[in-house]
């Protein structure tokens, strides 16, 4: 039956940045699809509600924490997941941040921090999880890219650079690891109502401009991304590799 290909029974997933927003929605959806889920957050305790929701779906779930701007954290988090849940079959690289400023005024610190969290930690997490996946002969990695993997954006130079890098990294890892039965894909969410987009939502002019361009006529909800994540984490997507899946209410087609 085709729906069986979407089930994640027996799989173990790590979702970074799962305390709120897209990460929380994905973590819960993976649990509802049958996976045990490690819920990452920056500070201990922040993902407690997500863990509880995953357990309510009948799955095992644990919290792992750490600041992804610290380059030692990604490998430690992956090791902790394997220690607590026994293995890692699925990695959702969702943790990210945004800092806004005109390019001429953009600080070195802001640039370095955004690149570290949004791009370098994605590589380090994939590298650490990839070692386990190669050893076990299978795995699914889903990176969270952005519409700014394709476009330039305004006053977010580091974010755009990082998300463009995520798209390229996705393809590079897919090329290397396909032979090990590992797929590496990405989701590029459109304008989703989360903490990262709060500034745009509260700007009356930008909010109106954004809604005027989206054919769906609304901001996306984190749950709108969850189905794509389950698909890319499941056997239903086994022949999809190195792809950037846009989920944007029609923005890019406008």
């Amino acid at each position: 039956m085709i729906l069986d290909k979407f089930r994640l029974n027996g799989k173990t997933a790590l979702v970074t940045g799962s305390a709120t927003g897209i990460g929380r929605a994905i973590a819960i959806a993976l649990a509802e699809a049958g996976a045990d889920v490690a819920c990452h957050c920056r500070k201990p305790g922040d993902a407690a509600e997500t863990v509880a929701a995953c357990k309510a779906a009948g799955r095992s779930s644990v919290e792992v924490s750490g600041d992804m701007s610290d380059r030692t954290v990604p490998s430690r988090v992956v090791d902790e997941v394997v220690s607590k849940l026994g293995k890692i079959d699925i990695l959702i690289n969702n943790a990210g941040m945004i800092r806004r400023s005109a390019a001429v005024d953009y600080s070195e610190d802001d640039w370095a921090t955004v690149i570290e969290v949004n791009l370098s930690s994605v590589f380090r997490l994939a590298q650490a999880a990839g070692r386990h996946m190669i050893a076990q002969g299978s795995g699914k990695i889903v990176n969270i890219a952005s519409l700014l993997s394709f476009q330039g954006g305004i006053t977010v130079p580091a974010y755009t650079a990082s998300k463009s890098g995520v798209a390229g990294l996705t393809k590079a890892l897919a090329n290397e690891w396909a032979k090990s039965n590992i797929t590496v894909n990405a989701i590029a969410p459109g304008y989703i109502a989360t903490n990262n987009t709060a500034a745009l939502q509260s700007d009356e002019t930008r909010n109106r401009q954004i809604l005027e361009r989206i054919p769906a006529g609304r901001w996306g909800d984190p749950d709108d991304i969850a189905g794509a994540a389950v698909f890319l984490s499941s056997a239903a997507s086994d022949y999809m590799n190195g792809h950037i899946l846009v989920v944007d209410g029609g923005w890019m087609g406008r």
Side-chain angles (χ1 to χ4, degrees), residues 63-243:
E63 180 186 277
V64 290
S65 62
D67 186 343
M68 289 300 171
S69 67
D70 179 346
R71 64 179 56 198
T72 67
V73 166
S75 61
R76 191 261 296 164
V77 164
V78 170
D79 288 344
E80 190 173 343
V81 172
V82 173
S83 174
K84 289 182 175 181
L85 295 179
K87 59 176 181 170
I88 181 167
D89 302 296
I90 300 161
L91 168 63
I92 310 290
N93 267 318
N94 170 74
M97 64 180 301
I98 192 166
R99 291 186 179 173
R100 302 176 186 276
S101 177
V104 293
D105 299 319
Y106 213 85
S107 72
E108 287 285 345
D109 180 65
D110 282 352
W111 175 271
T113 302
V114 172
I115 294 296
E116 186 66 38
V117 172
N118 290 7
L119 180 57
S120 297
S121 79
V122 169
F123 171 70
R124 294 189 179 102
L125 283 158
Q127 184 183 54
R131 289 178 177 134
H132 290 278
M133 292 174 179
I134 289 169
Q136 69 193 20
S138 65
K140 298 276 187 174
I141 297 175
V142 182
N143 299 322
I144 301 302
S146 168
L147 296 185
L148 298 190
S149 299
F150 308 98
Q151 300 175 315
I154 301 171
T155 66
V156 286
Y159 186 84
T160 299
S162 68
K163 292 301 184 177
S164 296
V166 167
L169 178 62
T170 297
K171 297 170 187 176
L173 297 180
N175 290 342
E176 284 198 38
W177 294 346
K179 65 180 180 292
S180 298
N181 196 31
I182 298 167
T183 64
V184 187
N185 294 289
I187 300 170
Y191 285 89
I192 310 297
T194 66
N195 293 338
N196 265 0
T197 58
L200 293 176
Q201 295 173 67
S202 63
D203 184 322
E204 184 177 344
T205 299
R206 286 292 289 131
N207 184 63
R208 175 181 54 78
Q209 292 171 339
I210 288 166
L211 289 175
E212 285 174 348
R213 174 165 170 169
I214 300 173
R218 66 173 178 87
W219 283 77
D221 184 84
D223 286 336
D224 290 320
I225 308 302
V230 170
F231 168 58
L232 292 176
S233 300
S234 74
S237 63
D238 279 353
Y239 201 57
M240 182 176 284
N241 213 358
H243 183 69

Side-chain angles (χ1 to χ4, degrees), residues 18-20 23-25 27-28 37 39 46-55 61:
S18 63
T20 62
R24 172 179 165 81
I28 295 170
V37 185
C39 302
D46 282 357
E49 292 184 2
T50 308
V51 169
C54 291
K55 288 182 176 179
S61 185

Side-chain angles (χ1 to χ4, degrees), residues 29-41:
L30 295 181
E32 290 174 344
D36 295 331
V37 185
C39 302
H40 162 266
C41 54

